[in-house]
Amino acid sequence: MNNTEIMTKQKFIALVDCDSFFVSCEQKRSPELKGKAVCVLSNNDGCVVSRSKEAKKMGVRMGEPYFMAKNEHPKAIYITSDHEYYAQVSHQVMSILKDFSPYVQIYSIDEAFVDLTGLTKLYKRNYKNLAIYLRQKILDEVDIPVSIGVSSTKTLAKLASDKAKNINNGIYLIGKRKIPKILKTTNIEEIWGIGRRLTKRLKSHGIITVEELVSKTDKWLDSKIGIQGIEMKHELLGEMVSKVVNERKLPKSIQNTRAFGIFTSDFNFIKNELNRHIHTSCRKLRKYETKCLQIGVMLRTKDFKVYYTKKELLSPLDFELEISNIAIKLLEEIYNPKILYRSTGVILEKIGEQGTEQLSLYTDQDKSIKKAKLAKCFDKLESKFGKNIIQTGFTKLK
């Protein structure tokens, strides 16, 4: 790799990682859960996807099937995941980060890289105290604990954040002087981007520690791993290859589904739940300023058998009243009143940015403008008063 491809200016990058995020969200919503063994389950209560520290100490394993965990650890509290709520909390955390620094790259729902370079003058704090201040700010304003790792590259910042999780103050810095010692005492499987297959391949060449990895030449790494290996080496040596960028990635698809809590064949009930998912999905479409060209509807039976159908649209949509009309017809195609169902869902695909669609000669512009204004009104009301304050044509349940 040419030196010109490596950024030579010293950077200070933080990786902010929410601790046991799904559990932390549930503890934020229900403070009485704090300090208890809490586990969040997957959508259909299949397995454990998030654990509190107390649940980890109890012995609950990540990915453990619910029926096994409940049998082995009956005193733990098990909660069905609520991804819509978690996304709202994530947005609150990310908003604080974006207000804090002009360069924030969201990596996942609970992780983001933050470029802290130069912010010491603005906040009148050194980089360690900057991280401490940011962590406390998120805790005070959102009630979500985070771990923060700080170093000169993304790869080292990720490693630092992993180490921060085992420290009481949740902050860990890897400076220039500390890098050699860290590389010597860290095994390759601990590094971001090195999975099981790559770990096995590297160990077959006698590479156990990160120090042994970075001692290899760029030519050797290129032949065994490819450009990824070269970039990883330089990032581990503290030489930034990947910058923190404010990129906006459009979702490839938007899917919303959740177990009913009961088994039912009541069509009105199922339609009501489907409309809720459609409303949530349309909010996400508009949040990303996108529209979809394909609508899919799913039904999952009591016995976990899945029925699915979809329809491609002639023109892209983002308005729930229009999407609901199509989705309900799809639901009717796969619904059987003799079958008990446990969940339904909507999948919006072929997503593109608003304004890129080709208008038809027969498009009613006035009507389109009115629908866009109404959708915007929905979003404003829900932002102010909370989700589901608007119920778009839902079936009233007795």
Side-chain angles (χ1 to χ4, degrees):
M1 175 174 287
N2 296 328
N3 289 333
T4 55
E5 294 177 313
I6 301 173
M7 297 189 63
T8 55
K9 183 180 178 182
Q10 177 71 35
K11 290 282 186 178
F12 293 89
I13 308 301
L15 190 279
V16 180
D17 187 358
C18 300
D19 299 336
S20 302
F21 183 55
F22 293 173
V23 165
S24 294
C25 288
E26 295 295 345
Q27 291 173 330
K28 166 184 169 66
R29 178 156 54 182
S30 305
E32 67 273 12
L33 295 176
K34 293 182 179 181
K36 296 182 180 179
V38 179
C39 300
V40 172
L41 305 169
S42 56
N43 274 342
N44 298 298
D45 293 351
C47 63
V48 176
V49 295
S50 183
R51 305 161 295 161
S52 66
K53 290 180 180 178
E54 293 77 14
K56 292 175 184 178
K57 290 179 181 178
M58 186 179 285
V60 181
R61 301 185 302 278
M62 187 67 168
E64 185 174 6
Y66 172 44
F67 73 91
M68 290 178 60
K70 190 175 182 180
N71 184 54
E72 295 175 8
H73 309 286
K75 292 185 179 180
I77 300 168
Y78 299 94
I79 302 172
T80 300
S81 57
D82 183 353
H83 290 286
E84 183 182 349
Y85 174 64
Y86 305 155
Q88 291 175 0
V89 177
S90 173
H91 178 71
Q92 294 173 24
V93 174
M94 300 307 168
S95 294
I96 290 177
L97 300 183
K98 290 175 181 177
D99 288 340
F100 189 78
S101 169
Y103 299 103
V104 176
Q105 185 173 351
I106 299 173
Y107 180 63
S108 67
I109 191 171
D110 60 349
E111 289 180 284
F113 290 102
V114 183
D115 193 335
L116 303 178
T117 309
L119 295 183
T120 52
K121 293 181 180 179
L122 176 63
Y123 291 99
K124 295 180 173 57
R125 291 175 170 85
N126 61 28
Y127 287 107
K128 181 177 180 179
N129 287 330
L130 266 181
I132 293 171
Y133 171 74
L134 180 57
R135 183 175 187 268
Q136 191 61 46
K137 184 177 178 66
I138 295 170
L139 189 61
D140 291 342
E141 296 185 19
V142 192
D143 195 21
I144 293 293
V146 301
S147 298
I148 302 180
V150 180
S151 194
S152 52
T153 69
K154 284 182 181 178
T155 304
L156 287 174
K158 184 71 171 69
L159 178 61
S161 75
D162 292 339
K163 293 182 178 297
K165 290 185 179 297
N166 299 316
I167 298 176
N168 289 333
N169 69 358
I171 305 293
Y172 194 89
L173 278 69
I174 300 178
K176 280 187 175 180
R177 294 180 181 179
K178 196 184 288 187
I179 290 176
K181 182 180 179 181
I182 289 290
L183 300 187
K184 189 174 184 179
T185 57
T186 302
N187 291 329
I188 54 174
E189 59 264 31
E190 299 177 57
I191 299 301
W192 177 44
I194 299 183
R196 291 181 181 178
R197 289 184 180 180
L198 185 52
T199 295
K200 187 176 180 180
R201 194 190 319 167
L202 290 172
K203 286 185 176 180
S204 70
H205 292 285
I207 298 174
I208 307 299
T209 67
V210 179
E211 182 185 51
E212 292 168 337
L213 175 66
V214 300
S215 68
K216 296 296 183 181
T217 65
D218 286 3
K219 184 177 180 180
W220 188 92
L221 290 168
D222 189 30
S223 66
K224 303 299 181 183
I225 306 175
I227 188 66
Q228 174 197 1
I230 300 174
E231 292 176 347
M232 189 181 297
K233 168 187 172 178
H234 288 281
E235 286 260 323
L236 287 167
L237 289 171
E239 302 162 355
M240 177 179 278
V241 176
S242 176
K243 296 190 295 182
V244 175
V245 292
N246 297 316
E247 58 186 9
R248 188 173 77 104
K249 292 184 178 179
L250 299 181
K252 293 182 180 179
S253 66
I254 293 176
Q255 177 175 342
N256 267 283
T257 180
R258 193 179 183 190
F260 298 145
I262 59 172
F263 300 132
T264 183
S265 59
D266 185 332
F267 183 78
N268 284 334
F269 178 89
I270 296 171
K271 184 171 72 171
N272 186 65
E273 292 301 303
L274 180 61
N275 269 324
R276 291 179 187 274
H277 298 319
I278 291 169
H279 179 54
T280 300
S281 298
C282 286
R283 281 201 68 188
K284 290 181 181 178
L285 278 177
R286 295 191 291 268
K287 175 185 174 183
Y288 288 106
E289 298 181 349
T290 56
K291 293 185 177 183
C292 71
L293 263 172
Q294 184 171 291
I295 300 171
V297 171
M298 176 275 294
L299 268 175
R300 182 176 281 109
T301 70
K302 176 184 176 182
D303 301 320
F304 292 96
K305 186 174 182 180
V306 175
Y307 293 91
Y308 174 76
T309 187
K310 61 185 178 181
K311 181 176 181 178
E312 193 159 337
L313 310 176
L314 294 176
S315 57
L317 300 175
D318 69 349
F319 189 41
E320 40 267 74
L321 296 185
E322 292 180 301
I323 289 177
S324 179
N325 288 335
I326 298 167
I328 297 305
K329 291 178 181 177
L330 294 175
L331 177 65
E332 290 172 346
E333 292 178 11
I334 58 176
Y335 168 76
N336 185 335
K338 297 180 181 179
I339 296 177
L340 287 174
Y341 298 98
R342 65 167 58 239
S343 66
T344 187
V346 64
I347 302 96
L348 305 181
E349 297 183 284
K350 296 191 176 181
I351 294 173
E353 292 184 357
Q354 293 177 359
T356 59
E357 65 270 20
Q358 187 173 357
L359 296 177
S360 166
L361 291 173
Y362 305 103
T363 300
D364 187 333
Q365 283 290 82
D366 290 337
K367 192 174 181 180
S368 296
I369 291 171
K370 287 179 180 178
K371 285 187 290 189
K373 287 183 177 178
L374 182 56
K376 194 172 183 179
C377 181
F378 287 174
D379 296 340
K380 282 185 176 180
L381 285 170
E382 292 210 338
S383 295
K384 186 174 182 179
F385 297 107
K387 66 178 184 179
N388 293 328
I389 192 69
I390 300 294
Q391 297 188 346
T392 54
F394 287 4
T395 302
K396 289 185 178 179
L397 302 177
K398 295 179 180 180

